[in-house]
Amino acid sequence: MILAPALLSIMQILLLVVLGYAEYRLWRGTSSPTARILSLLFSGTIAWAIIRPFMFTL
Amino acid sequence: MKGLHTLLWREYRSSRGWAIGLIGSLGLWTWIVSMINNEGVENRLALRSLIITVAFAIGVIVLSFMVGRLHTEIKHDEHRTLLLSPIPGYLHIVSRLVFAVGVGLIYAIGLGTLTWWVFSQAGAHLGASSIMQLVAAFPAFGIVTLLMPTLAWVLLLVLFANAYRLSHLTWIAVIVMCAGTPVSLLYRGINGLDHHLPVWTTAPGITDLFNRLAGMPTQGEGSMLTMAVPGVVHYGDIVGAVLLTGLLVFLAARLWEEMEG
């Protein structure tokens, strides 16, 4: 019972780290400004979806 | 606009096999629907309607793959032959979208005509307004609200992935876009436009049939004079879908200009 929220948080942090690394690779991987903005938008909304439930537990 | 004609002709030349195959499949769907002879009008109507819905969904998937072939064309530099007379990026996107939407509209009208036949077989007395609704209005609505944004999204996906071709990160780009799109739609609220708008009501001929099948009087007290299609058919969806398609086409055109222009 105590571990469940902690594990969930660890999962969320891991997901955010993976997402952050993917975004870093995508940012560096193109010269197109539109592609960079789009990748930021998509990664940002995914990150928001990951963080949102976590914020309610604080 | 001369460039658009050239690109539409080119699109017709490269995709006519897909287009003819899809429109030709209407014959197959007609045969399948006509083979259904279950007991009871309700069962027959339900099963035939289900098959027509599946046929529409398959049409959307086939057309998505058709416009998605842009990926192969970019990879093989096939469009370079047109660079002798430079054409703006948005025309490349719009021409593919217009051709696919045109094919989809013909296909949907065919399915609408099949639906008309299914309803008349079920005993509906359809007037001109009901027939126009089944054959023209519902197919056009489906094309605008479902097919147009889907195809524009596929084109954007192809061009977004193409922006990462040289760095070999296309698979990360595809995953991020496929995962990010539903989340974006959820939080951006584009689909929320329809909340306070009136519902589209079905024409009397169709309503009468449903009244009869539901065991309700077709006229007077207790009858459903106009049956709303809840949560699906909203005028607001049309506005939202057109805005969304415009945004996706604009972004895809920008990517084309930056990467291929």
Side-chain angles (χ1 to χ4, degrees):
Chain A
M1 289 293 281
I2 298 164
L3 269 177
L7 277 175
L8 193 66
S9 305
I10 290 165
M11 279 298 291
Q12 283 166 333
I13 289 163
L14 275 175
L15 275 173
L16 285 173
V17 168
V18 171
L19 190 66
Y21 179 67
E23 177 51 35
Y24 166 74
R25 293 287 306 273
L26 288 177
W27 185 270
R28 297 283 305 270
T30 184
S31 58
S32 159
T34 308
R36 283 181 171 168
I37 291 168
L38 278 174
S39 73
L40 258 182
L41 175 78
F42 291 129
S43 303
T45 46
I46 296 169
W48 174 241
I50 295 168
I51 293 168
R52 222 166 93 110
F54 178 69
M55 287 176 78
F56 285 116
T57 62
L58 285 177
Chain B
M1 294 308 281
K2 198 181 169 189
L4 184 64
H5 291 149
T6 312
L7 288 171
L8 277 174
W9 172 81
R10 183 194 169 283
E11 194 57 22
Y12 163 72
R13 296 278 298 181
S14 72
S15 303
R16 63 184 165 184
W18 288 70
I20 292 167
L22 185 66
I23 294 168
S25 74
L26 285 169
L28 176 72
W29 295 119
T30 308
W31 178 74
I32 291 172
V33 166
S34 65
M35 290 299 283
I36 294 168
N37 288 310
N38 289 22
E39 287 288 316
V41 180
E42 296 93 337
N43 291 343
R44 267 203 305 275
L45 183 66
L47 199 54
R48 284 170 170 173
S49 303
L50 178 71
I51 286 171
I52 291 169
T53 310
V54 169
F56 183 76
I58 288 174
V60 172
I61 293 167
V62 169
L63 288 169
S64 298
F65 276 101
M66 188 178 96
V67 297
R69 287 182 314 125
L70 175 63
H71 169 69
T72 325
E73 288 176 24
I74 291 174
K75 212 170 160 183
H76 296 151
D77 273 354
E78 285 176 22
H79 64 278
R80 293 276 173 201
T81 50
L82 292 165
L83 286 184
L84 290 173
S85 54
I87 294 168
Y90 76 91
L91 284 182
H92 282 278
I93 308 301
V94 169
S95 64
R96 283 174 167 86
L97 193 64
V98 165
F99 184 79
V101 166
V103 173
L105 188 61
I106 295 169
Y107 182 69
I109 287 172
L111 289 178
T113 312
L114 190 57
T115 314
W116 170 21
W117 179 80
V118 166
F119 273 94
S120 57
Q121 287 292 303
H125 302 290
L126 300 173
S129 65
S130 305
I131 293 168
M132 283 308 289
Q133 202 165 44
L134 287 174
V135 175
F138 279 137
F141 181 83
I143 293 300
V144 171
T145 56
L146 190 71
L147 187 71
M148 259 173 43
T150 305
L151 296 183
W153 184 84
V154 171
L155 286 168
L156 181 63
L157 177 70
V158 167
L159 286 160
F160 182 62
N162 178 53
Y164 296 95
R165 192 158 49 97
L166 293 177
S167 54
H168 303 287
L169 295 172
T170 46
W171 64 276
I172 298 183
V174 168
I175 291 172
V176 166
M177 186 164 166
C178 288
T181 304
V183 183
S184 298
L185 284 175
L186 203 67
Y187 289 118
R188 306 274 146 200
I190 290 172
N191 289 338
L193 278 170
D194 59 353
H195 284 317
H196 304 290
L197 292 159
V199 292
W200 189 347
T201 50
T202 53
I206 305 167
T207 315
D208 284 350
L209 175 70
F210 281 108
N211 273 323
R212 203 146 39 80
L213 292 178
M216 294 165 84
T218 51
Q219 282 185 342
E221 194 77 15
S223 70
M224 296 184 287
L225 291 176
T226 49
M227 191 186 69
V229 184
V232 181
V233 182
H234 288 69
Y235 292 116
D237 287 343
I238 297 173
V239 179
V242 170
L243 286 175
L244 184 61
T245 307
L247 177 68
L248 294 170
V249 167
F250 170 76
L251 290 169
R254 288 295 310 153
L255 283 172
W256 182 286
E257 295 279 352
E258 287 165 10
M259 301 309 296
E260 305 293 325

